[in-house]
mmCIF file of all heavy atoms in Angstrom:
data_model
loop_
_atom_site.group_PDB
_atom_site.id
_atom_site.type_symbol
_atom_site.label_atom_id
_atom_site.label_comp_id
_atom_site.label_asym_id
_atom_site.label_seq_id
_atom_site.Cartn_x
_atom_site.Cartn_y
_atom_site.Cartn_z
ATOM 1 N N ILE A 1 125.976 85.399 88.429
ATOM 2 C CA ILE A 1 126.239 86.446 87.462
ATOM 3 C C ILE A 1 125.633 85.949 86.134
ATOM 4 O O ILE A 1 125.756 84.808 85.774
ATOM 5 C CB ILE A 1 127.737 86.747 87.263
ATOM 6 C CG1 ILE A 1 128.301 87.371 88.562
ATOM 7 C CG2 ILE A 1 128.022 87.627 86.088
ATOM 8 C CD1 ILE A 1 129.839 87.495 88.542
ATOM 9 N N ILE A 2 125.032 86.889 85.433
ATOM 10 C CA ILE A 2 124.475 86.563 84.110
ATOM 11 C C ILE A 2 125.456 87.027 83.049
ATOM 12 O O ILE A 2 125.753 88.234 82.972
ATOM 13 C CB ILE A 2 123.052 87.203 83.875
ATOM 14 C CG1 ILE A 2 122.015 86.606 84.792
ATOM 15 C CG2 ILE A 2 122.621 87.021 82.405
ATOM 16 C CD1 ILE A 2 120.656 87.130 84.645
ATOM 17 N N ASP A 3 125.919 86.104 82.260
ATOM 18 C CA ASP A 3 126.850 86.387 81.186
ATOM 19 C C ASP A 3 126.160 86.407 79.866
ATOM 20 O O ASP A 3 125.695 85.356 79.376
ATOM 21 C CB ASP A 3 128.032 85.338 81.182
ATOM 22 C CG ASP A 3 129.072 85.664 80.106
ATOM 23 O OD1 ASP A 3 129.047 86.759 79.533
ATOM 24 O OD2 ASP A 3 129.914 84.806 79.861
ATOM 25 N N ALA A 4 126.062 87.609 79.261
ATOM 26 C CA ALA A 4 125.349 87.735 77.960
ATOM 27 C C ALA A 4 126.348 88.015 76.804
ATOM 28 O O ALA A 4 125.949 88.453 75.712
ATOM 29 C CB ALA A 4 124.258 88.842 78.021
ATOM 30 N N THR A 5 127.632 87.773 77.047
ATOM 31 C CA THR A 5 128.678 88.112 76.057
ATOM 32 C C THR A 5 128.449 87.395 74.742
ATOM 33 O O THR A 5 128.491 87.926 73.678
ATOM 34 C CB THR A 5 130.063 87.803 76.613
ATOM 35 O OG1 THR A 5 130.201 88.518 77.878
ATOM 36 C CG2 THR A 5 131.106 88.284 75.685
ATOM 37 N N LYS A 6 128.222 86.049 74.840
ATOM 38 C CA LYS A 6 128.139 85.256 73.644
ATOM 39 C C LYS A 6 126.719 84.636 73.452
ATOM 40 O O LYS A 6 126.414 84.144 72.301
ATOM 41 C CB LYS A 6 129.129 84.125 73.693
ATOM 42 C CG LYS A 6 130.563 84.599 73.533
ATOM 43 C CD LYS A 6 131.554 83.473 73.318
ATOM 44 C CE LYS A 6 132.941 84.012 73.088
ATOM 45 N NZ LYS A 6 133.930 82.958 72.840
ATOM 46 N N CYS A 7 125.923 84.659 74.435
ATOM 47 C CA CYS A 7 124.520 84.141 74.287
ATOM 48 C C CYS A 7 123.576 85.023 75.145
ATOM 49 O O CYS A 7 123.325 84.733 76.297
ATOM 50 C CB CYS A 7 124.421 82.678 74.716
ATOM 51 S SG CYS A 7 124.993 82.335 76.391
ATOM 52 N N GLY A 8 123.165 86.111 74.532
ATOM 53 C CA GLY A 8 122.260 87.020 75.215
ATOM 54 C C GLY A 8 121.220 87.560 74.230
ATOM 55 O O GLY A 8 121.056 87.077 73.090
ATOM 56 N N ASN A 9 120.507 88.608 74.656
ATOM 57 C CA ASN A 9 119.555 89.215 73.745
ATOM 58 C C ASN A 9 119.911 90.730 73.592
ATOM 59 O O ASN A 9 120.979 91.160 73.937
ATOM 60 C CB ASN A 9 118.122 89.071 74.290
ATOM 61 C CG ASN A 9 117.944 89.693 75.633
ATOM 62 O OD1 ASN A 9 118.914 90.124 76.268
ATOM 63 N ND2 ASN A 9 116.722 89.743 76.116
ATOM 64 N N PHE A 10 118.944 91.504 73.093
ATOM 65 C CA PHE A 10 119.197 92.918 72.812
ATOM 66 C C PHE A 10 119.543 93.688 74.106
ATOM 67 O O PHE A 10 120.119 94.816 74.011
ATOM 68 C CB PHE A 10 118.001 93.560 72.127
ATOM 69 C CG PHE A 10 117.835 93.170 70.720
ATOM 70 C CD1 PHE A 10 116.706 93.554 69.966
ATOM 71 C CD2 PHE A 10 118.772 92.388 70.032
ATOM 72 C CE1 PHE A 10 116.520 93.205 68.667
ATOM 73 C CE2 PHE A 10 118.632 92.029 68.742
ATOM 74 C CZ PHE A 10 117.500 92.456 68.034
ATOM 75 N N ALA A 11 119.220 93.197 75.262
ATOM 76 C CA ALA A 11 119.463 93.915 76.511
ATOM 77 C C ALA A 11 120.872 94.205 76.727
ATOM 78 O O ALA A 11 121.215 95.223 77.393
ATOM 79 C CB ALA A 11 118.826 93.178 77.688
ATOM 80 N N ARG A 12 121.733 93.448 76.220
ATOM 81 C CA ARG A 12 123.197 93.655 76.407
ATOM 82 C C ARG A 12 123.706 94.892 75.749
ATOM 83 O O ARG A 12 124.830 95.337 75.997
ATOM 84 C CB ARG A 12 123.983 92.431 75.953
ATOM 85 C CG ARG A 12 123.981 92.142 74.448
ATOM 86 C CD ARG A 12 124.813 90.982 74.068
ATOM 87 N NE ARG A 12 124.854 90.788 72.650
ATOM 88 C CZ ARG A 12 125.720 89.960 72.066
ATOM 89 N NH1 ARG A 12 126.637 89.272 72.778
ATOM 90 N NH2 ARG A 12 125.734 89.849 70.752
ATOM 91 N N PHE A 13 122.933 95.447 74.770
ATOM 92 C CA PHE A 13 123.346 96.662 74.109
ATOM 93 C C PHE A 13 122.989 97.950 74.820
ATOM 94 O O PHE A 13 123.283 99.021 74.335
ATOM 95 C CB PHE A 13 122.746 96.695 72.639
ATOM 96 C CG PHE A 13 123.296 95.597 71.752
ATOM 97 C CD1 PHE A 13 122.418 94.619 71.322
ATOM 98 C CD2 PHE A 13 124.589 95.545 71.417
ATOM 99 C CE1 PHE A 13 122.854 93.558 70.490
ATOM 100 C CE2 PHE A 13 125.044 94.502 70.577
ATOM 101 C CZ PHE A 13 124.161 93.533 70.114
ATOM 102 N N ILE A 14 122.242 97.801 75.919
ATOM 103 C CA ILE A 14 121.858 99.039 76.656
ATOM 104 C C ILE A 14 123.027 99.698 77.288
ATOM 105 O O ILE A 14 123.814 99.066 78.005
ATOM 106 C CB ILE A 14 120.800 98.695 77.762
ATOM 107 C CG1 ILE A 14 119.629 97.942 77.168
ATOM 108 C CG2 ILE A 14 120.374 99.931 78.520
ATOM 109 C CD1 ILE A 14 118.590 97.535 78.176
ATOM 110 N N ASN A 15 123.200 101.006 76.982
ATOM 111 C CA ASN A 15 124.323 101.803 77.480
ATOM 112 C C ASN A 15 124.057 102.358 78.822
ATOM 113 O O ASN A 15 122.864 102.523 79.275
ATOM 114 C CB ASN A 15 124.655 102.895 76.485
ATOM 115 C CG ASN A 15 125.503 102.399 75.324
ATOM 116 O OD1 ASN A 15 126.473 101.661 75.525
ATOM 117 N ND2 ASN A 15 125.154 102.830 74.112
ATOM 118 N N HIS A 16 125.095 102.701 79.531
ATOM 119 C CA HIS A 16 125.021 103.365 80.858
ATOM 120 C C HIS A 16 124.667 104.835 80.662
ATOM 121 O O HIS A 16 125.104 105.479 79.662
ATOM 122 C CB HIS A 16 126.383 103.264 81.610
ATOM 123 C CG HIS A 16 126.477 104.200 82.751
ATOM 124 N ND1 HIS A 16 125.996 103.958 84.022
ATOM 125 C CD2 HIS A 16 127.031 105.451 82.795
ATOM 126 C CE1 HIS A 16 126.295 105.010 84.752
ATOM 127 N NE2 HIS A 16 126.854 105.913 84.041
ATOM 128 N N SER A 17 123.960 105.419 81.633
ATOM 129 C CA SER A 17 123.763 106.892 81.676
ATOM 130 C C SER A 17 123.676 107.278 83.148
ATOM 131 O O SER A 17 123.086 106.541 83.959
ATOM 132 C CB SER A 17 122.480 107.254 80.901
ATOM 133 O OG SER A 17 122.273 108.677 81.111
ATOM 134 N N CYS A 18 124.247 108.423 83.467
ATOM 135 C CA CYS A 18 124.137 108.935 84.827
ATOM 136 C C CYS A 18 122.771 109.543 85.094
ATOM 137 O O CYS A 18 122.429 109.785 86.226
ATOM 138 C CB CYS A 18 125.221 109.997 85.073
ATOM 139 S SG CYS A 18 126.943 109.365 84.951
ATOM 140 N N ASN A 19 122.031 109.779 84.013
ATOM 141 C CA ASN A 19 120.653 110.260 84.131
ATOM 142 C C ASN A 19 119.761 109.389 83.256
ATOM 143 O O ASN A 19 119.298 109.809 82.237
ATOM 144 C CB ASN A 19 120.554 111.733 83.684
ATOM 145 C CG ASN A 19 119.146 112.309 83.932
ATOM 146 O OD1 ASN A 19 118.420 111.808 84.768
ATOM 147 N ND2 ASN A 19 118.789 113.295 83.134
ATOM 148 N N PRO A 20 119.597 108.127 83.653
ATOM 149 C CA PRO A 20 118.983 107.128 82.781
ATOM 150 C C PRO A 20 117.397 107.271 82.741
ATOM 151 O O PRO A 20 116.817 107.868 83.623
ATOM 152 C CB PRO A 20 119.348 105.775 83.391
ATOM 153 C CG PRO A 20 119.488 106.115 84.854
ATOM 154 C CD PRO A 20 119.971 107.472 84.915
ATOM 155 N N ASN A 21 116.845 106.632 81.733
ATOM 156 C CA ASN A 21 115.367 106.588 81.659
ATOM 157 C C ASN A 21 114.808 105.224 82.087
ATOM 158 O O ASN A 21 113.630 104.975 82.071
ATOM 159 C CB ASN A 21 114.909 106.924 80.224
ATOM 160 C CG ASN A 21 115.530 106.025 79.164
ATOM 161 O OD1 ASN A 21 116.067 104.959 79.492
ATOM 162 N ND2 ASN A 21 115.526 106.522 77.931
ATOM 163 N N CYS A 22 115.758 104.326 82.501
ATOM 164 C CA CYS A 22 115.300 102.968 82.992
ATOM 165 C C CYS A 22 116.161 102.622 84.158
ATOM 166 O O CYS A 22 117.171 103.261 84.505
ATOM 167 C CB CYS A 22 115.502 101.927 81.882
ATOM 168 S SG CYS A 22 114.384 102.128 80.472
ATOM 169 N N TYR A 23 115.762 101.500 84.812
ATOM 170 C CA TYR A 23 116.580 100.940 85.851
ATOM 171 C C TYR A 23 116.395 99.419 85.829
ATOM 172 O O TYR A 23 115.454 98.919 85.283
ATOM 173 C CB TYR A 23 116.092 101.492 87.259
ATOM 174 C CG TYR A 23 114.680 101.140 87.623
ATOM 175 C CD1 TYR A 23 114.401 100.037 88.406
ATOM 176 C CD2 TYR A 23 113.566 101.927 87.178
ATOM 177 C CE1 TYR A 23 113.117 99.719 88.840
ATOM 178 C CE2 TYR A 23 112.265 101.606 87.551
ATOM 179 C CZ TYR A 23 112.038 100.488 88.328
ATOM 180 O OH TYR A 23 110.758 100.109 88.729
ATOM 181 N N ALA A 24 117.357 98.749 86.441
ATOM 182 C CA ALA A 24 117.385 97.299 86.452
ATOM 183 C C ALA A 24 116.857 96.823 87.854
ATOM 184 O O ALA A 24 117.160 97.390 88.865
ATOM 185 C CB ALA A 24 118.809 96.757 86.241
ATOM 186 N N LYS A 25 116.088 95.726 87.793
ATOM 187 C CA LYS A 25 115.537 95.145 89.030
ATOM 188 C C LYS A 25 115.620 93.641 88.942
ATOM 189 O O LYS A 25 115.351 93.045 87.939
ATOM 190 C CB LYS A 25 114.087 95.618 89.152
ATOM 191 C CG LYS A 25 113.391 95.133 90.466
ATOM 192 C CD LYS A 25 111.984 95.681 90.517
ATOM 193 C CE LYS A 25 111.253 95.246 91.798
ATOM 194 N NZ LYS A 25 109.876 95.760 91.852
ATOM 195 N N VAL A 26 115.964 93.049 90.063
ATOM 196 C CA VAL A 26 116.037 91.584 90.184
ATOM 197 C C VAL A 26 114.641 91.089 90.707
ATOM 198 O O VAL A 26 114.196 91.534 91.758
ATOM 199 C CB VAL A 26 117.155 91.086 91.159
ATOM 200 C CG1 VAL A 26 117.105 89.605 91.246
ATOM 201 C CG2 VAL A 26 118.481 91.614 90.643
ATOM 202 N N ILE A 27 113.967 90.219 89.948
ATOM 203 C CA ILE A 27 112.742 89.619 90.349
ATOM 204 C C ILE A 27 112.897 88.100 90.373
ATOM 205 O O ILE A 27 113.767 87.555 89.712
ATOM 206 C CB ILE A 27 111.574 90.037 89.460
ATOM 207 C CG1 ILE A 27 111.769 89.475 88.038
ATOM 208 C CG2 ILE A 27 111.426 91.554 89.385
ATOM 209 C CD1 ILE A 27 110.551 89.678 87.137
ATOM 210 N N THR A 28 112.002 87.454 91.116
ATOM 211 C CA THR A 28 112.039 85.991 91.233
ATOM 212 C C THR A 28 110.833 85.413 90.501
ATOM 213 O O THR A 28 109.694 85.740 90.813
ATOM 214 C CB THR A 28 112.059 85.506 92.665
ATOM 215 O OG1 THR A 28 113.155 86.113 93.370
ATOM 216 C CG2 THR A 28 112.158 84.019 92.794
ATOM 217 N N VAL A 29 111.097 84.526 89.501
ATOM 218 C CA VAL A 29 110.068 83.902 88.720
ATOM 219 C C VAL A 29 110.304 82.440 88.810
ATOM 220 O O VAL A 29 111.333 81.854 88.374
ATOM 221 C CB VAL A 29 110.102 84.356 87.254
ATOM 222 C CG1 VAL A 29 109.012 83.640 86.502
ATOM 223 C CG2 VAL A 29 109.929 85.788 87.141
ATOM 224 N N GLU A 30 109.327 81.689 89.478
ATOM 225 C CA GLU A 30 109.414 80.239 89.660
ATOM 226 C C GLU A 30 110.787 79.875 90.310
ATOM 227 O O GLU A 30 111.506 79.033 89.798
ATOM 228 C CB GLU A 30 109.288 79.524 88.301
ATOM 229 C CG GLU A 30 107.888 79.701 87.705
ATOM 230 C CD GLU A 30 107.725 78.975 86.335
ATOM 231 O OE1 GLU A 30 108.769 78.471 85.876
ATOM 232 O OE2 GLU A 30 106.625 78.955 85.840
ATOM 233 N N SER A 31 111.048 80.564 91.416
ATOM 234 C CA SER A 31 112.225 80.336 92.278
ATOM 235 C C SER A 31 113.558 80.632 91.530
ATOM 236 O O SER A 31 114.645 80.258 92.031
ATOM 237 C CB SER A 31 112.232 78.908 92.809
ATOM 238 O OG SER A 31 112.524 77.947 91.837
ATOM 239 N N GLN A 32 113.456 81.275 90.382
ATOM 240 C CA GLN A 32 114.710 81.639 89.681
ATOM 241 C C GLN A 32 114.789 83.181 89.554
ATOM 242 O O GLN A 32 113.831 83.860 89.184
ATOM 243 C CB GLN A 32 114.687 81.014 88.283
ATOM 244 C CG GLN A 32 116.031 81.297 87.509
ATOM 245 C CD GLN A 32 116.012 80.660 86.123
ATOM 246 O OE1 GLN A 32 115.017 80.086 85.742
ATOM 247 N NE2 GLN A 32 117.119 80.822 85.439
ATOM 248 N N LYS A 33 115.943 83.690 89.908
ATOM 249 C CA LYS A 33 116.167 85.127 89.861
ATOM 250 C C LYS A 33 116.395 85.611 88.450
ATOM 251 O O LYS A 33 117.225 84.977 87.722
ATOM 252 C CB LYS A 33 117.344 85.549 90.763
ATOM 253 C CG LYS A 33 116.994 85.425 92.313
ATOM 254 C CD LYS A 33 118.171 85.905 93.102
ATOM 255 C CE LYS A 33 117.837 85.771 94.610
ATOM 256 N NZ LYS A 33 118.951 86.201 95.457
ATOM 257 N N LYS A 34 115.756 86.664 88.061
ATOM 258 C CA LYS A 34 115.895 87.261 86.683
ATOM 259 C C LYS A 34 116.129 88.726 86.845
ATOM 260 O O LYS A 34 115.641 89.408 87.740
ATOM 261 C CB LYS A 34 114.683 86.953 85.843
ATOM 262 C CG LYS A 34 114.443 85.496 85.578
ATOM 263 C CD LYS A 34 113.206 85.296 84.711
ATOM 264 C CE LYS A 34 112.978 83.809 84.385
ATOM 265 N NZ LYS A 34 114.009 83.318 83.482
ATOM 266 N N ILE A 35 116.816 89.322 85.819
ATOM 267 C CA ILE A 35 117.073 90.735 85.795
ATOM 268 C C ILE A 35 116.150 91.306 84.673
ATOM 269 O O ILE A 35 116.227 90.875 83.521
ATOM 270 C CB ILE A 35 118.545 91.056 85.522
ATOM 271 C CG1 ILE A 35 119.417 90.546 86.590
ATOM 272 C CG2 ILE A 35 118.768 92.599 85.280
ATOM 273 C CD1 ILE A 35 120.921 90.702 86.327
ATOM 274 N N VAL A 36 115.408 92.336 85.103
ATOM 275 C CA VAL A 36 114.493 92.924 84.114
ATOM 276 C C VAL A 36 114.687 94.474 84.154
ATOM 277 O O VAL A 36 114.936 95.035 85.198
ATOM 278 C CB VAL A 36 113.001 92.619 84.491
ATOM 279 C CG1 VAL A 36 112.092 93.336 83.538
ATOM 280 C CG2 VAL A 36 112.768 91.131 84.512
ATOM 281 N N ILE A 37 114.654 95.038 82.986
ATOM 282 C CA ILE A 37 114.865 96.485 82.828
ATOM 283 C C ILE A 37 113.448 97.146 82.825
ATOM 284 O O ILE A 37 112.607 96.819 82.048
ATOM 285 C CB ILE A 37 115.563 96.834 81.520
ATOM 286 C CG1 ILE A 37 116.859 95.998 81.395
ATOM 287 C CG2 ILE A 37 115.880 98.336 81.449
ATOM 288 C CD1 ILE A 37 117.894 96.165 82.546
ATOM 289 N N TYR A 38 113.258 98.111 83.768
ATOM 290 C CA TYR A 38 112.019 98.844 83.900
ATOM 291 C C TYR A 38 112.216 100.253 83.403
ATOM 292 O O TYR A 38 113.299 100.813 83.514
ATOM 293 C CB TYR A 38 111.622 98.937 85.398
ATOM 294 C CG TYR A 38 110.935 97.760 85.969
ATOM 295 C CD1 TYR A 38 111.680 96.660 86.330
ATOM 296 C CD2 TYR A 38 109.585 97.712 86.180
ATOM 297 C CE1 TYR A 38 111.061 95.506 86.918
ATOM 298 C CE2 TYR A 38 108.940 96.660 86.803
ATOM 299 C CZ TYR A 38 109.688 95.520 87.158
ATOM 300 O OH TYR A 38 109.120 94.437 87.726
ATOM 301 N N SER A 39 111.127 100.865 82.893
ATOM 302 C CA SER A 39 111.213 102.308 82.497
ATOM 303 C C SER A 39 110.974 103.195 83.749
ATOM 304 O O SER A 39 110.011 102.985 84.483
ATOM 305 C CB SER A 39 110.183 102.553 81.463
ATOM 306 O OG SER A 39 108.858 102.206 81.889
ATOM 307 N N LYS A 40 111.828 104.222 83.923
ATOM 308 C CA LYS A 40 111.622 105.187 85.020
ATOM 309 C C LYS A 40 110.620 106.232 84.619
ATOM 310 O O LYS A 40 109.963 106.828 85.524
ATOM 311 C CB LYS A 40 112.967 105.854 85.383
ATOM 312 C CG LYS A 40 113.992 104.908 86.023
ATOM 313 C CD LYS A 40 115.279 105.701 86.308
ATOM 314 C CE LYS A 40 115.011 106.836 87.289
ATOM 315 N NZ LYS A 40 116.340 107.508 87.608
ATOM 316 N N GLN A 41 110.492 106.484 83.341
ATOM 317 C CA GLN A 41 109.660 107.603 82.875
ATOM 318 C C GLN A 41 109.139 107.237 81.515
ATOM 319 O O GLN A 41 109.455 106.106 80.950
ATOM 320 C CB GLN A 41 110.526 108.874 82.778
ATOM 321 C CG GLN A 41 111.716 108.733 81.835
ATOM 322 C CD GLN A 41 112.839 109.634 82.127
ATOM 323 O OE1 GLN A 41 113.165 109.893 83.261
ATOM 324 N NE2 GLN A 41 113.465 110.182 81.091
ATOM 325 N N HIS A 42 108.347 108.115 80.910
ATOM 326 C CA HIS A 42 107.852 107.874 79.550
ATOM 327 C C HIS A 42 109.025 107.890 78.579
ATOM 328 O O HIS A 42 109.862 108.807 78.644
ATOM 329 C CB HIS A 42 106.780 108.940 79.192
ATOM 330 C CG HIS A 42 106.309 108.791 77.789
ATOM 331 N ND1 HIS A 42 105.339 107.861 77.426
ATOM 332 C CD2 HIS A 42 106.654 109.432 76.617
ATOM 333 C CE1 HIS A 42 105.139 107.893 76.123
ATOM 334 N NE2 HIS A 42 105.871 108.887 75.621
ATOM 335 N N ILE A 43 109.056 106.962 77.663
ATOM 336 C CA ILE A 43 110.122 106.879 76.702
ATOM 337 C C ILE A 43 109.523 107.007 75.292
ATOM 338 O O ILE A 43 108.544 106.308 74.970
ATOM 339 C CB ILE A 43 110.850 105.559 76.787
ATOM 340 C CG1 ILE A 43 111.501 105.431 78.164
ATOM 341 C CG2 ILE A 43 111.908 105.442 75.678
ATOM 342 C CD1 ILE A 43 112.164 104.057 78.423
ATOM 343 N N ASN A 44 110.023 107.960 74.506
ATOM 344 C CA ASN A 44 109.505 108.238 73.192
ATOM 345 C C ASN A 44 110.067 107.307 72.164
ATOM 346 O O ASN A 44 111.092 106.598 72.360
ATOM 347 C CB ASN A 44 109.801 109.693 72.769
ATOM 348 C CG ASN A 44 109.140 110.668 73.666
ATOM 349 O OD1 ASN A 44 107.978 110.540 73.976
ATOM 350 N ND2 ASN A 44 109.894 111.697 74.102
ATOM 351 N N VAL A 45 109.437 107.276 70.990
ATOM 352 C CA VAL A 45 109.971 106.475 69.848
ATOM 353 C C VAL A 45 111.304 106.952 69.437
ATOM 354 O O VAL A 45 111.575 108.175 69.437
ATOM 355 C CB VAL A 45 108.971 106.532 68.654
ATOM 356 C CG1 VAL A 45 109.522 105.726 67.466
ATOM 357 C CG2 VAL A 45 107.636 105.996 69.092
ATOM 358 N N ASN A 46 112.267 106.066 69.150
ATOM 359 C CA ASN A 46 113.680 106.331 68.750
ATOM 360 C C ASN A 46 114.476 106.874 69.877
ATOM 361 O O ASN A 46 115.631 107.278 69.591
ATOM 362 C CB ASN A 46 113.668 107.311 67.537
ATOM 363 C CG ASN A 46 113.077 106.685 66.275
ATOM 364 O OD1 ASN A 46 113.243 105.490 66.040
ATOM 365 N ND2 ASN A 46 112.442 107.514 65.498
#
């Protein structure tokens, strides 16, 4: 489990939506699993 409560980045502020514009995906980089947020569609400024 990745705990970003006290040591994380801006990603921890992303809110949930039942109709989101992004999705989370687990990828492996140098044998280490990471969680990356991908865009599902075009996202406008603001």
Side-chain angles (χ1 to χ4, degrees):
I1 293 173
I2 293 181
D3 181 11
T5 306
K6 292 189 175 181
C7 54
N9 62 350
F10 286 173
R12 67 178 183 166
F13 296 114
I14 302 178
N15 279 316
H16 162 87
S17 176
C18 297
N19 185 26
N21 52 21
C22 293
Y23 65 94
K25 183 178 180 181
V26 178
I27 66 172
T28 303
V29 179
E30 295 180 352
S31 71
Q32 184 178 3
K33 290 183 178 180
K34 295 179 178 291
I35 297 174
V36 180
I37 309 302
Y38 281 77
S39 56
K40 289 179 63 177
Q41 62 205 38
H42 178 80
I43 300 174
N44 296 315
V45 178
N46 293 325

